[in-house]
Amino acid sequence: MRILVFANTPAHVHLYRHAVDRLDAAGHDVLVLTREYACTTDLLEFFGLPYRRYGTHETHAPSKPELARELGEQFGRIGWESRRFDPDVVFGRGPYAALAGTVTRTPTVLVLDDEPGDFNHTVSRPFADCILSPDVTRRDLGDDHYTFEGFKECAYLHPDVFEADRAIHEYLAIDPDGPYVLVRFNAMDALHDAGIEGFSQAQRRDLLEHLSEHATVFVSDESGTMDFNDLPARPYDLHPALIHDAMAGADLLVADTGTMVNEAGLLGTPALRFQGTDDHEYGEFAELERAGLAEQFDDYTAVRDRAVDLLTTDAAAGKRWQQRRAKYVGDLVNLTDLIVAVAEAGGELEGLESDVREALQPRTPVQ
């Protein structure tokens, strides 16, 4: 089979990378279409995935004219590359995958999370033959919407597919017993981030100053524009492919972006999310909070003080999070298995083996 996969962000690379490897090993012809954005192509190169670029997306919020021009150019390239590859099934999300499936008249599978309903979903839903999302999804996306027990991050962080590199302290050049914190700052440049603000510049500095009194602080700045000359923190400068190993070894993660909070929680690392002005309700965060694997705050002082508390007075936090992970994550669906099965069935769920089919349920709204 010929399988076309869209990886528009670093998170999408991780979502599909194990599936692409397995499908390729099984003799299928797989192509990843991607754009130059943050470290997306760096990850594709690192993991040796077959890809072609269809465009570039800068890590700053584009103006409306810039966005329109960018999308026009990218859609033209996507149409050309898709017809050239001539896939039997398309995987992705948003208008990118919808366009590829439409111009090639190919079954299209969207693998989504519980982001708020927006332009991406409005445009792509009518063109999808199958929509897969976590069972905590709050939206109803129609008759072809099926859910699985887990998170999209289970494609690469499920215990069946992930084992942390225990040499991460050595890579970071810190004492093996030294505590360290990962802080992630969002660039807020994606379509679903429009109008949302995370940590302000003053809050960023204040947070780093407080955390650095108790641990080595590494900052992953999505925009890549932070000046560290007078900050008590170090840039996270390992290869981006090692970020999950760094998360797994960290004593704490603090972020104003969602994906890395999900990831840290599923790895059993204490994870705090600052919502900023984002007032959307996300099923994943609610579920991770219920499982005791993540906490989120809409007040800056509250998240800062909780972070300091975890580092200074709650010595058992790390062990407690790990115990919760062991109890919770192992029972979730290995999403890579599911993606591979759906791909080999050509996006037709009726063609799935019965045990795989049982892992998918028609969408049941979360109350």
Side-chain angles (χ1 to χ4, degrees), residues 231-292:
L231 291 175
R234 294 162 54 180
Y236 173 80
D237 57 4
L238 299 183
H239 193 284
L242 297 175
I243 189 64
H244 301 117
D245 302 287
M247 271 192 243
D251 293 79
L252 174 68
L253 177 129
V254 184
D256 57 2
T257 181
T259 296
M260 286 184 67
V261 172
N262 284 355
E263 291 170 335
L266 292 172
L267 288 168
T269 297
L272 307 182
R273 175 179 178 250
F274 176 52
Q275 295 172 254
T277 61
D278 186 358
D279 59 0
H280 295 296
E281 293 186 16
Y282 300 86
E284 288 93 342
F285 296 142
E287 176 62 11
L288 287 173
E289 284 189 300
R290 186 198 65 77

Side-chain angles (χ1 to χ4, degrees), residues 83-95:
R83 286 189 291 267
R84 175 186 177 191
F85 184 66
D86 190 25
D88 296 299
V89 63
V90 175
F91 280 81
R93 63 184 297 154

Side-chain angles (χ1 to χ4, degrees), residues 320-337:
R320 192 167 64 250
W321 250 265
Q322 285 295 320
Q323 290 172 337
R324 292 168 181 166
R325 176 187 187 253
K327 181 179 179 180
Y328 178 73
V329 179
D331 291 333
L332 301 179
V333 167
N334 177 346
L335 183 54
T336 288
D337 287 345

Side-chain angles (χ1 to χ4, degrees), residues 19 27 48 52 65 70 123 137 164 175 177 189 202 204 248 304 307 337 359:
R52 295 179 193 152
E70 176 184 297
V123 170
T137 298
D175 189 289
D177 298 319
D189 64 331
R204 290 185 178 194
R304 182 200 65 193
D337 287 345

Side-chain angles (χ1 to χ4, degrees), residues 30-82:
V30 188
L31 174 66
V32 178
L33 278 186
T34 189
R35 61 186 179 182
E36 197 74 47
Y37 171 68
C39 61
T40 304
T41 53
D42 291 335
L43 290 173
L44 291 166
E45 291 281 354
F46 184 92
F47 294 120
L49 304 184
Y51 75 92
R52 295 179 193 152
R53 281 185 292 263
Y54 66 78
T56 299
H57 182 68
E58 300 296 334
T59 52
H60 67 268
S63 66
K64 289 183 179 180
E66 288 175 331
L67 181 60
R69 182 171 60 253
E70 176 184 297
L71 290 175
E73 293 172 352
Q74 292 181 1
F75 286 172
R77 184 70 178 182
I78 287 169
W80 188 84
E81 291 285 5
S82 299

Side-chain angles (χ1 to χ4, degrees), residues 7 9-18 34 40 43-44 47 49:
T9 71
H12 298 163
V13 177
H14 291 297
L15 170 62
Y16 290 111
R17 63 185 176 88
H18 292 296
T34 189
T40 304
L43 290 173
L44 291 166
F47 294 120
L49 304 184

